Amino acid sequence: DTGHITLDRGFMNTASCFSSITYLDGDKGILNYRGYSIEDLAANCSFVEVSYLILHGELPNYQELEHFRHDMNRFALLHEDMIHFFDHFPPNASPMSILSTTINSLHNFYPEMTAKTDPYGGISVTTARLLAKVRTIAAFSYKKSNGYPLVYPSHKLNYCENFLNMMFDRPNIPYEIKPEVTAALNKLLILHADHEQNCSTSTVRLVGSAQVNLYASISAGVSALWGPLHGGANQAVIEMLEEIHESGDDYNYYIEKAKDKNDPFRLAGFGHRVYKTFDPRARIIKEACHEMLASMNVHDPLLDIAFELEERVLRDDYFISRNLYPNVDFYSGIIYRAMGIPTDMFTVMFALGRLPGWIAQWTEMHADPNTKIGRPRQIYTGYKQRAFVPMYER
Ligand code: SDX
């Protein structure tokens, strides 16, 4: 502490803003969006309905929802010139890199779509447009990476049906949209929709506080989410479970490795900055995982490994003493796998879900007249001022 400046690494004990969007209780494992519990929302709503709630603060009535859906359909296409973007990424390009790059470029094609000046009706339409276009970007990047023809959004399908159809439908092999899959996808996206001031949301607010446009702020949020300590963990979980499977289920090797202070390895999908008990989202996803795989009659050995690993970790003093429980990323990848979504797109799925939250938080920040540009201080540990040394003396 030097005078009025206090060091707070990772901002663990610092509130960066007032917000009325999401409430977390890390000790009780409670998560509410605009006062509604995620348990109620995940059981009764579509992702589009919850996106509207997070943005506007109220659940939409029938007309409001239909209007929101209509806007989403109206703006679901990308400018055809943007489609050439996908031709110039190498085949193994990371979908998160494509997503961040392409979202940032939306500003060049749709400069009118920054929330404050959107002639079409402000943040609601901007959100519908971004949700629709980002879904299209995600599906197009997948199709392009496989060399398959693009499938365009259809006005006959809702948000999740369109996403799955654009990802997996092909002219020669039609994709069958299964209700249990779209139901699981809606639930997953709802559970990712917002989470107060996590790393990527704080990034969106910080970048936005410099008065930069919405797309650049969201693009920065995508980059932060990419990290394996954050949204990238859902991909790291599957890679870890596959390694355990290939090792002949050598759980102890990985559990001991995660405890070893000299080893940077951590158990992906465990632990959380705020939750010091079960992440409520992980509970719902674990159940949805079980239900969907059973209804599809799919047996994934990684699910058995996940259950066994969770069992062992929750019995282990090292993890118990540090309040380390499964988090939102631990089971989500297993559901995405069963849907046929490739592992390198799991964090893109997290971004699709988090998009309404990022937009709502960015909008809330701009609506607050007391918002200031984000600019933390530091504790200086370098040299005191010293005399200059000319080149001939160095
Ligand atoms: C998300 O913030 C959000 O809300 C994020 C998120 C959202 O919706 O936006 O919830 C989404 O990012 C979930 C988290 C996904 N990340 C992972 O699963 C990666 C693995 N988890 C960790 O790296 C870690 O738990 C974090 C990053 C999630 C939280 O880190 P913290 O709060 O900074 O805690 P820490 O690193 O200080 O750990 C405390 C102790 C340490 O041991 P000691 O130094 O006290 O001896 O717990 C240990 C850590 O070594 N620890 C782990 C561990 N997580 C913490 N040890 C082994 N395996 C782990 N997974």
Side-chain angles (χ1 to χ4, degrees), residues 305-373:
I305 292 175
F307 285 157
E308 178 63 23
L309 183 61
E310 177 191 325
E311 278 285 305
R312 291 173 183 236
V313 165
L314 295 185
R315 284 200 306 262
D316 186 301
D317 288 344
Y318 171 93
F319 295 92
I320 295 170
S321 61
R322 291 169 177 78
N323 300 308
L324 301 177
Y325 291 82
N327 59 46
V328 66
D329 292 311
F330 189 58
Y331 286 102
S332 54
I334 296 172
I335 296 190
Y336 293 139
R337 247 162 79 93
M339 290 176 182
I341 293 167
T343 307
D344 68 359
M345 276 193 69
F346 289 179
T347 313
V348 168
M349 299 308 294
F350 194 137
L352 280 183
R354 188 51 53 89
L355 198 51
W358 283 334
I359 298 169
Q361 297 270 355
W362 187 91
T363 307
E364 183 180 63
M365 173 186 66
H366 279 299
D368 177 353
N370 300 312
T371 292
K372 298 177 77 62
I373 185 170

Side-chain angles (χ1 to χ4, degrees), residues 24 195 270-276 279 281 323-324 327:
L24 293 196
H195 212 239
F270 285 91
H272 198 277
R273 172 61 59 77
V274 178
Y275 290 122
K276 297 309 167 196
D279 182 331
R281 300 167 296 178
N323 300 308
L324 301 177
N327 59 46

Side-chain angles (χ1 to χ4, degrees), residues 174-304:
Y175 172 72
E176 183 200 350
I177 296 172
K178 295 189 177 126
E180 67 269 25
V181 176
T182 47
L185 183 55
N186 266 299
K187 203 169 270 192
L188 273 173
L189 294 174
I190 286 170
L191 294 171
H192 286 82
D194 194 51
H195 212 239
E196 62 143 81
Q197 304 313 313
N198 59 84
C199 179
S200 53
T201 299
S202 298
T203 302
V204 169
R205 280 179 172 260
L206 189 61
V207 170
S209 71
Q211 299 288 326
V212 84
N213 70 74
L214 176 62
Y215 303 104
S217 306
I218 300 288
S219 170
V222 172
S223 299
L225 187 72
W226 192 356
L229 290 187
H230 191 11
N234 58 16
Q235 177 173 341
V237 166
I238 291 299
E239 288 158 359
M240 174 184 72
L241 295 176
E242 280 172 338
E243 267 189 48
I244 294 175
H245 190 42
E246 279 143 30
S247 75
D249 296 1
D250 188 353
Y251 298 95
N252 284 334
Y253 170 78
Y254 288 90
I255 288 173
E256 293 313 310
K257 187 174 162 66
K259 294 182 196 173
D260 178 354
K261 284 299 159 218
N262 301 319
D263 189 321
F265 173 77
R266 290 193 162 181
L267 287 182
F270 285 91
H272 198 277
R273 172 61 59 77
V274 178
Y275 290 122
K276 297 309 167 196
T277 179
F278 234 96
D279 182 331
R281 300 167 296 178
R283 278 189 205 287
I284 301 173
I285 294 173
K286 178 179 178 181
E287 198 184 312
C289 209
H290 216 59
E291 280 165 16
M292 197 189 87
L293 267 64
S295 68
M296 292 174 73
N297 207 9
V298 162
H299 176 253
D300 184 346
L302 298 192
L303 183 58
D304 301 330

